[in-house]
Amino acid sequence: MYRGDFCEEDRFAEWCWLEREQLRETHLDTLERLAALSIQLGKPEHAIHRYRQVLRTDPLRETAEHRLIKCLADAGRRIEALQQYELFCQILQRELSM
């Protein structure tokens, strides 16, 4: 149901900033919970998909990044896990100069 940030066309309007951030955070938390549930149900591919959805919205969300890398490694996709780690390092370097 989430189709993007609330009042996305007016990114700098202060009147909707708090609502936008709360809705966005609820969306991301829900995706992370769905991913965790998928892991519990033995469906790692579903979890991987959900974590990638989170990271498309918030590429700096470390918890989702760590869990995605772990899911990939646990699924035997170690090269992909390493590539994901390297991508995250590049994002941190570019966005935060870390």
Side-chain angles (χ1 to χ4, degrees):
M1 293 176 68
Y2 187 82
R3 294 190 180 137
D5 289 341
F6 177 65
C7 291
E8 191 171 19
E9 66 281 352
D10 200 1
R11 302 274 313 144
F12 301 104
E14 287 188 31
W15 67 270
C16 62
W17 180 84
L18 183 59
E19 184 73 15
R20 177 186 307 128
E21 291 304 309
Q22 288 174 338
L23 290 170
R24 185 175 196 258
E25 193 60 32
T26 298
H27 170 68
L28 295 172
D29 285 344
T30 301
L31 288 173
E32 286 190 280
R33 287 180 185 184
L34 287 170
L37 183 59
S38 295
I39 292 168
Q40 290 176 357
L41 294 173
K43 299 182 177 186
E45 293 304 316
H46 288 107
I48 290 167
H49 175 72
R50 296 295 178 212
Y51 286 131
R52 286 196 168 138
Q53 282 182 296
V54 170
L55 293 169
R56 275 193 296 275
T57 302
D58 185 357
L60 296 174
R61 197 170 184 102
E62 285 187 62
T63 54
E65 189 67 53
H66 292 184
R67 291 175 184 152
L68 171 59
I69 292 168
K70 183 172 180 353
C71 281
L72 290 166
D74 290 348
R77 296 162 61 176
R78 297 190 188 283
I79 292 173
E80 201 173 338
L82 182 58
Q83 290 171 336
Q84 187 66 41
Y85 172 78
E86 290 171 352
L87 175 64
F88 187 57
C89 289
Q90 291 170 7
I91 291 169
L92 288 175
Q93 179 65 38
R94 183 181 66 237
E95 297 295 325
L96 304 176
S97 298
M98 293 177 76

